[in-house]
Amino acid sequence: MNPTATELVRLLGVNGETLAVAESLTGGLVAAEITSVPGASRVFRGSVTAYATELKHRLLGVDAALLERSGAVDPQVAAQMAAGVREALGADWGIATTGVAGPDPQDGQPVGTVFVAVDGPLGKGSTSASGGKVEALRLNGGRAEIRMESVRSVLALLLTELAGEQTGNERAQDTERNGGF
């Protein structure tokens, strides 16, 4: 079991929040990591694997003109995927992956170009000014390595956002309740 996914499920539960996932190049791997954690059903709303570019628009509400102009491998596309899945599935948080795992370049982007995004509620302790954040990755390795590093990166990005939400007394109370340090 992935320790980051375990911590995400724990923090989401403590906060009383839910998560939805939009995936492209990872093809369901992010959802699989989250749902491997016992108790994930309390916080995980579901996922959309929008592998085909037109599904990013149709299912997740990504701007069609943006997709036409930039293709699916773009930071704004990742941001809109995260916001779109959050809205479509009625979750507090949405995360998304889009990129090129190979073997060939896509949309003018080289293999290893990946964008991961998180979209969440605005509020105290949020490290995002707009409720969303995108991280650009340039990954090396084969297709499997690029996909798994994309999973790791999007989970880490969400964990950073969730940890930013738990500040001061909230974190101290949670630590006491859960017997932590």
Side-chain angles (χ1 to χ4, degrees), residues 84-108:
V85 79
R86 178 180 172 217
E87 182 177 329
L89 300 186
D92 297 300
W93 292 91
I95 57 176
T97 63
T98 189
V100 186
D104 300 314
Q106 179 186 338
D107 298 331

Side-chain angles (χ1 to χ4, degrees), residues 151-169:
V151 171
R152 189 204 65 73
S153 295
V154 77
L155 294 177
L157 182 61
L158 177 58
L159 184 58
T160 299
E161 292 297 301
L162 289 174
E165 275 204 330
Q166 285 212 326
T167 58
N169 195 37

Side-chain angles (χ1 to χ4, degrees), residues 18-172:
T18 57
L19 173 65
V21 177
E23 299 186 66
S24 186
L25 85 148
T26 51
L29 293 172
V30 176
E33 285 294 322
I34 293 164
T35 58
S36 73
V37 178
S41 61
R42 292 188 330 260
V43 300
F44 185 66
R45 296 281 299 156
S47 64
V48 174
T49 300
Y51 211 67
T53 299
E54 73 269 8
L55 294 179
K56 291 170 180 63
H57 169 67
R58 197 160 20 124
L59 298 177
L60 299 171
V62 175
D63 182 65
L66 171 63
L67 289 166
E68 180 68 29
R69 182 177 61 251
S70 302
V73 184
D74 180 85
Q76 288 181 303
V77 170
Q80 289 184 21
M81 286 174 65
V85 79
R86 178 180 172 217
E87 182 177 329
L89 300 186
D92 297 300
W93 292 91
I95 57 176
T97 63
T98 189
V100 186
D104 300 314
Q106 179 186 338
D107 298 331
Q109 298 286 351
V111 172
T113 301
V114 175
F115 297 98
V116 297
V118 61
D119 188 79
L122 293 171
K124 58 187 183 305
S126 177
T127 58
S128 300
S130 66
K133 189 175 205 174
V134 178
E135 190 172 281
L137 308 171
R138 298 288 181 249
L139 303 176
N140 296 313
R143 183 174 174 81
E145 290 91 359
I146 290 169
R147 293 174 76 215
M148 289 313 296
E149 183 58 25
S150 299
V151 171
R152 189 204 65 73
S153 295
V154 77
L155 294 177
L157 182 61
L158 177 58
L159 184 58
T160 299
E161 292 297 301
L162 289 174
E165 275 204 330
Q166 285 212 326
T167 58
N169 195 37
E170 291 174 328
R171 186 174 289 160

